[in-house]
Amino acid sequence: MAMLLILPGRNPTNIADLLEARLPGADVRIWPETGTREDIDFVVTWNHPEGELGTFPNLKGVMSFGAGVDHILADRSLPAAVPVSRVVDPVLAEDLREYLVGVVIAHRRRFHEYRESQRRMSWEPHRYTRASRVGILGLGRIGSTVARGFAALGFQVSGWSTGDKSLPGVSCHTGPEGLIAITAGADYLICLLPLTPATEGILNYSLFASMKRGSCLINAGRGAHLAEADLLDALDKGMLGAACLDVFREEPLPPDHPFWKRPEIIVTPHVSALTATETVTAQIAENYERIAEGLPMLHPVDRIRGY
Amino acid sequence: MAMLLILPGRNPTNIADLLEARLPGADVRIWPETGTREDIDFVVTWNHPEGELGTFPNLKGVMSFGAGVDHILADRSLPAAVPVSRVVDPVLAEDLREYLVGVVIAHRRRFHEYRESQRRMSWEPHRYTRASRVGILGLGRIGSTVARGFAALGFQVSGWSTGDKSLPGVSCHTGPEGLIAITAGADYLICLLPLTPATEGILNYSLFASMKRGSCLINAGRGAHLAEADLLDALDKGMLGAACLDVFREEPLPPDHPFWKRPEIIVTPHVSALTATETVTAQIAENYERIAEGLPMLHPVDRIRGY
């Protein structure tokens, strides 16, 4: 048996070394050096070339290198019987909470404007409003942690999820009416949804039209949640006042993309939460051993539901 | 009886109007239009000219327009028998918590650098460290609220105060050894002390020498806590890596002040917490009535202790 790492655009030598230290004698290969394809029974991947997963006849499991699995599920060459799993990093949720709390406060309290004033050596205090409302789309492990973090800092927090949820200090909603209840009231609307056919493009013109005027959209879900042209249109029309985007349909964001130059858009380069190498390698090693023993992988994904 | 507002550099007409609405018939005067000085029995002030407080022979109380009273206690013309009070705004502590959490996250997660990268249309992600330690000098009402806020976000928090304190999730220290225990371990050292003769200049070269190399100093206490030349020297020598300053010995910070141009210093124009006008006017009105009835003012200050 062999494990194959398909991580285009990264140098996975370090990961492979850590895995070999945890799994003495294991056959760890780095794509595109696949060797004999029949040997591969476990693939770990992030943004592999579509069609690649169907080329391993003895595949027993595919694991995402991160929390999302949309890149794996989008590959129709992957036989329906092959189980899919993902990394669940408890610290990832805390990192996202930190990033999002920081982004909201930096916007509310005008940190970027003060940085500009400092450049001009100019003392320009601004008053601030109190009690911003934060709406969170997605109340899974990550969304719940983020919601509780904002609530602990005195924000009014509401959240939206597919199934009913109950979280202390958070007003929870579901369904299409629930979505509108949140968008209409939120000063900051944060997308943390998984990417599925049902959520692809959910951040679109009609959603922006239901948002509070002057409010701020934050996307820390996936690039494909956002209808990019709709956002520019909605900003032009003042439907929302600002956006902070950490994920994009194409990453790195191309140099000629209009988002870079819009003063109301804050672009961060997919840094809201970076999976800790140790957590990932421990979970990859565990899944490798589980597959060798014929056991189900850790953190399996429901391929129909999409997360 | 009459109340005098001494608020140089501000336009207190709005405050005077709100007070007259709360206190129908009250004699509210705005400095320098004092009228007959014998009439004045209650002064509300922020940064009054030194010596002014001794010119009102019938003064029964002086109230600070904010949380600090050092500007009042520094005026030796104020008779020892005149009681001093201050504003206690519970929301002020929450505002400071928000500002400080935001400042620390913005620095940890390099928001200003990403803003610069965006300007250059350049995708430059950086990895981040986990588990920063926050040290807080001052664990009064404000310091305690701030400490709990950081702890709720997963930071390791330690705090220093004159008297023994106990706060869940916060390692509390006291005395000179306690101070060194905190400065040696903190990635972010936050000053929230009251300004007294014992704390004036406490942020000086010898404290910086005890700080963790590369750490960040944040002053949201008073400008006079900081020995300004020592900070520049310590930054030059790499004793600390950065500073975020919201308060200064002279405010507004003069245009030729070296702080403006140092890339490692973040200057914000005294906006960490702005007292809500409603809270202030309610407490001023209540103290006016208490003085009229011969009662002690709300939130009195111990003039010997200094806070």
Side-chain angles (χ1 to χ4, degrees), chain A residues 95 109 128 130 272 274, chain B residues 95 109 128 130 271-272 274:
Chain A
D95 290 354
R109 304 296 291 270
Y128 47 82
R130 276 181 170 155
S272 54
L274 302 172
Chain B
D95 289 355
R109 303 295 292 269
Y128 46 81
R130 278 184 167 151
V271 287
S272 54
L274 303 172

Side-chain angles (χ1 to χ4, degrees), chain B residues 183-184 186-187 204-217 229-243 262 264:
Chain B
T183 55
D187 299 296
N204 58 27
Y205 194 84
S206 93
L207 182 126
F208 301 148
S210 74
M211 281 174 71
K212 186 171 168 179
R213 276 190 91 80
S215 63
C216 176
L217 172 75
D230 289 9
L231 174 64
L232 294 171
D233 197 9
L235 285 168
D236 285 339
K237 292 180 175 149
M239 288 171 165
L240 56 168
R262 295 289 293 226
E264 332 88 296

Side-chain angles (χ1 to χ4, degrees), chain A residues 89 91-92 94-99 101-103 105-106 108-109 111-112 114-119 121-128 130 149 152-155 246 248 250-253 255 259-263 265-277 279, chain B residues 89 91-92 94-99 101-103 105-106 108-109 111-112 114-119 121-128 130 149 152-155 246 248 250-253 255 259-263 265-277 279:
Chain A
D89 180 353
V91 190
L92 204 73
E94 293 172 20
D95 290 354
L96 259 158
R97 175 182 66 190
E98 176 176 77
Y99 170 88
V101 161
V103 157
I105 296 175
R108 265 179 56 69
R109 304 296 291 270
F111 287 176
H112 294 302
Y114 292 134
R115 201 71 182 139
E116 287 302 310
S117 306
Q118 181 173 352
R119 211 182 299 272
M121 290 168 281
S122 172
W123 183 271
E124 297 170 31
H126 300 281
R127 294 206 75 86
Y128 47 82
R130 276 181 170 155
L153 293 176
F155 286 86
D246 187 53
F248 304 89
E250 188 181 346
E251 293 182 7
L253 189 66
F259 286 171
W260 289 115
K261 291 212 163 184
R262 296 288 293 228
I265 298 181
I266 304 266
V267 170
T268 59
H270 205 146
V271 288
S272 54
L274 302 172
T275 307
T277 308
T279 309
Chain B
D89 180 352
V91 190
L92 204 74
E94 295 172 21
D95 289 355
L96 258 159
R97 176 182 65 189
E98 176 176 76
Y99 169 89
V101 162
V103 158
I105 297 176
R108 264 180 56 69
R109 303 295 292 269
F111 288 175
H112 294 302
Y114 291 134
R115 201 72 181 138
E116 286 302 310
S117 304
Q118 180 173 354
R119 212 184 296 274
M121 291 168 279
S122 173
W123 182 270
E124 297 170 31
H126 300 281
R127 294 207 75 86
Y128 46 81
R130 278 184 167 151
L153 292 177
F155 287 86
D246 188 52
F248 304 90
E250 187 179 347
E251 292 183 8
L253 189 65
F259 286 171
W260 287 116
K261 293 213 163 187
R262 295 289 293 226
I265 298 181
I266 304 268
V267 170
T268 59
H270 206 145
V271 287
S272 54
L274 303 172
T275 307
T277 308
T279 309

Side-chain angles (χ1 to χ4, degrees), chain B residues 109-188:
Chain B
R109 303 295 292 269
R110 309 208 201 193
F111 288 175
H112 294 302
E113 285 172 61
Y114 291 134
R115 201 72 181 138
E116 286 302 310
S117 304
Q118 180 173 354
R119 212 184 296 274
R120 295 190 303 269
M121 291 168 279
S122 173
W123 182 270
E124 297 170 31
H126 300 281
R127 294 207 75 86
Y128 46 81
T129 58
R130 278 184 167 151
S132 279
R133 288 172 164 206
V134 173
I136 296 172
L137 307 184
L139 291 176
R141 290 167 202 256
I142 289 174
S144 306
T145 300
V146 171
R148 280 191 302 263
F150 276 104
L153 292 177
F155 287 86
Q156 295 175 52
V157 185
S158 56
W160 184 74
S161 57
T162 323
D164 282 329
K165 283 268 177 182
S166 167
L167 283 172
V170 178
S171 143
C172 297
H173 300 259
T174 188
E177 313 77 37
L179 184 57
I180 285 169
I182 286 179
T183 55
D187 299 296
Y188 294 90

